[in-house]
Amino acid sequence: QVHLVESGGGLVQPGGSLRLSCAASGSVFSIYAMAWYRQAPGKQREVVAAITSGGSTNYADSVKGRFTISRDNATNTGSLRMSSLKPEDTAVYYCNAAIRSRSVVDVYWGQGTQVTVSS
């Protein structure tokens, strides 16, 4: 059994910063790609940032230059540093990862963490 757990969400003022964390636990043999998605009320879930096992990154145009995705393969953790936050960044943020557990590779989701950007 594999679990992904996010933490670090909260309320922040426009222009502020937050750091989200994602921890994988259970029978984790290796983690391939990791990504952060977000879903705002009434909108579809969208990918925000992604990182490969080798460290290559990609970002949605809306967050380039403001968000930074990273990972620590030794501890099976990932993070999303968010700065210059805008009200339109308000959403539930989800961690996503492709994980090998024993002989099976599957995609896992965390439970989500709320980020609210408001004055």
Side-chain angles (χ1 to χ4, degrees), residues 2 6 15 19-20 30 32 47 52 54 62 65 69 71 74 76 86-87 89 94 101 110 117:
V2 172
E6 302 103 335
R19 179 178 182 272
L20 306 183
S30 58
Y32 300 108
V47 61
T52 67
S62 59
I69 188 172
R71 62 188 289 168
N76 293 332
K86 305 174 182 180
D89 294 318
Y94 297 90
S101 175
V117 184

Side-chain angles (χ1 to χ4, degrees), residues 29-102:
F29 280 21
S30 58
I31 301 177
Y32 300 108
M34 297 184 75
W36 288 91
Y37 286 72
R38 67 186 181 188
Q39 187 166 19
K43 295 187 177 181
Q44 290 188 333
R45 190 173 296 189
E46 61 176 357
V47 61
V48 173
I51 185 168
T52 67
S53 56
S56 296
T57 58
N58 276 292
Y59 297 92
D61 288 342
S62 59
V63 306
K64 279 181 181 177
R66 300 188 299 120
F67 290 12
T68 302
I69 188 172
S70 62
R71 62 188 289 168
D72 185 335
N73 293 331
T75 59
N76 293 332
T77 57
S79 68
L80 183 69
R81 293 183 181 275
M82 306 182 294
S83 61
S84 301
L85 283 162
K86 305 174 182 180
E88 51 263 44
D89 294 318
T90 296
V92 178
Y93 284 71
Y94 297 90
C95 179
N96 166 281
I99 298 174
R100 175 177 292 278
S101 175
R102 295 185 174 87

